[in-house]
Amino acid sequence: MNRLALGTVQFGLSYGVTNTEGQVSEVSVQEILQEASQHGIDMLDTAAAYGESEVVLSKQIATNQFELVSKTRPLSSMKGKLDQVEKALNQSLDRLALHRPLYGMLIHHADDLLGPQGDDIWKLLQEKKQQGRICKIGVSVYSAQELDLICQRYAIDLVQLPHNVLDQRLRISGHLQTLQDNCIEIHVRSAFLQGLLLLQDIAALPVHLQELKPALARFQQRAGELGCSTLALALGYLRQQTAIDRVLVGVVNPQQLTEIIVAWTEAASLPLHCADDLAIDTEHLLNPAKWSLLKVSQ
């Protein structure tokens, strides 16, 4: 299971368009971490911007069993002051390092690294790496354009990017292969498109996302043809992308994690390329950051 990593945004916020349970309780967090550890999942992904997530994790003794990846606070939230960036970074490291280097620290917003203070932020992270507080420096991106600009300017170790059975753009463009060829570690988020891929009744789609119905219907039909669950097919597509190092999954209870672990194992038997033709290329549907704009336009 060491290609799976556990996302923790739900530990600090009520997150996800299909999340009806809200923020995960600290008791449930402990149970989820125990379940993950028992099945060989050894990495947690968090961020300073994920509400109380870092604080919650810092209270969990079980966190010591995991490698940790976190993300910087957005520069915009600190009025562009580098000293505040360093202060926030140190707070994250103090909370999460747990007497060892943090596995990875990502720039949460690529624009911070591409802006006028990008070189200063990069230098600051390099200093933390040289001090032994961080093992890998990376960035979270939303598009191929952001990724290209970052890689032209900085020798990143790690990138987190969106990818799923509907959003295959970075595979089709060759970016996943190029990243692998350059020994840049790839972590994938949005594996289930904020849970939309796992909706049993696509008629329940929010009004502003109705355009996704045909793609979701094709996806569900393919799972039926293959005799597998939609969960297994969503994971199976990602499992077949050998360039991907980690697939981030978020859960709100231990049962959901167990289902994912079972489906990940089942997905190994799916035919190669069985979902490659399910891709769509519609930015406003594939990028959850655009969904609020769709909602307003309704």
Side-chain angles (χ1 to χ4, degrees):
M1 298 297 169
N2 60 4
R3 286 184 67 200
L4 290 178
L6 188 60
T8 66
V9 61
Q10 293 95 339
F11 295 179
L13 296 169
S14 178
Y15 175 84
V17 69
T18 61
N19 178 10
T20 60
E21 297 189 33
Q23 182 179 337
V24 181
S25 71
E26 291 191 23
V27 172
S28 290
V29 168
Q30 185 176 20
E31 293 172 349
I32 290 168
L33 294 182
Q34 289 173 345
E35 179 76 3
S37 180
Q38 288 172 5
H39 288 89
I41 296 174
D42 60 0
M43 181 173 286
L44 306 178
D45 176 88
T46 189
Y50 289 174
E52 301 172 359
S53 179
E54 286 188 340
V55 174
V56 169
L57 288 176
S58 70
K59 296 177 182 177
Q60 296 287 336
I61 297 175
T63 303
N64 284 290
Q65 302 171 39
F66 299 88
E67 297 287 4
L68 293 165
V69 175
S70 195
K71 307 174 193 71
T72 59
R73 286 194 179 278
L75 198 59
S76 59
S77 70
M78 293 174 286
K79 300 179 181 179
K81 295 182 179 180
L82 193 65
D83 60 337
Q84 292 186 34
V85 175
E86 181 169 16
K87 180 179 178 181
L89 176 60
N90 285 333
Q91 287 175 342
S92 290
L93 290 172
D94 290 342
R95 277 195 292 262
L96 295 172
L98 304 174
H99 311 297
R100 67 182 189 277
L102 198 68
Y103 184 86
M105 179 61 76
L106 308 180
I107 304 297
H108 205 155
H109 291 268
D111 286 346
D112 289 351
L113 206 51
L114 295 172
Q117 289 187 284
D119 288 349
D120 292 330
I121 294 172
W122 181 257
K123 181 180 177 182
L124 173 62
L125 289 173
Q126 287 285 84
E127 289 173 355
K128 299 301 179 185
K129 185 176 180 180
Q130 291 166 4
Q131 293 167 6
R133 303 203 70 188
I134 300 170
C135 294
K136 298 191 178 190
I137 302 171
V139 64
S140 174
V141 300
Y142 283 89
S143 68
Q145 292 76 15
E146 281 185 339
L147 183 57
D148 288 339
L149 289 170
I150 291 289
C151 290
Q152 287 167 13
R153 290 180 60 173
Y154 302 105
I156 59 173
D157 305 308
L158 171 64
V159 64
Q160 185 184 114
L161 47 82
H163 202 72
N164 56 65
V165 69
L166 296 189
D167 186 1
Q168 304 181 26
R169 292 173 293 176
L170 292 174
R171 176 188 65 81
I172 294 169
S173 66
H175 280 81
L176 293 185
Q177 187 60 55
T178 298
L179 289 168
Q180 184 184 45
D181 291 344
N182 286 281
C183 300
I184 297 173
E185 190 170 326
I186 302 171
H187 293 191
V188 161
R189 67 175 183 274
S190 201
F192 307 130
L193 198 56
Q194 283 204 16
L196 293 184
L197 289 171
L198 307 182
L199 275 179
Q200 294 185 348
D201 180 11
I202 57 176
L205 270 174
V207 174
H208 61 290
L209 296 175
Q210 292 293 307
E211 283 184 80
L212 273 170
K213 270 187 177 180
L216 290 172
R218 286 193 298 272
F219 169 67
Q220 290 185 351
Q221 180 180 357
R222 182 62 51 81
E225 292 168 354
L226 293 168
C228 68
S229 66
T230 52
L231 177 58
L233 183 56
L235 290 171
Y237 166 75
L238 294 172
R239 182 168 180 150
Q240 290 179 7
Q241 312 314 310
T242 56
I244 294 172
D245 295 284
R246 297 280 184 165
V247 176
L248 304 181
V249 295
V251 301
V252 295
N253 57 58
Q255 293 73 31
Q256 286 185 352
L257 182 57
T258 300
E259 291 171 5
I260 287 171
I261 290 166
V262 170
W264 178 263
T265 301
E266 292 175 350
S269 62
L270 291 175
L272 286 175
H273 311 299
C274 64
D276 289 5
D277 62 333
L278 296 177
I280 62 174
D281 187 10
T282 314
E283 168 69 12
H284 68 274
L285 295 178
L286 295 174
N287 185 351
K290 306 284 187 182
W291 291 352
S292 60
L293 298 176
L294 292 176
K295 195 171 184 179
V296 169
S297 68
Q298 295 298 318

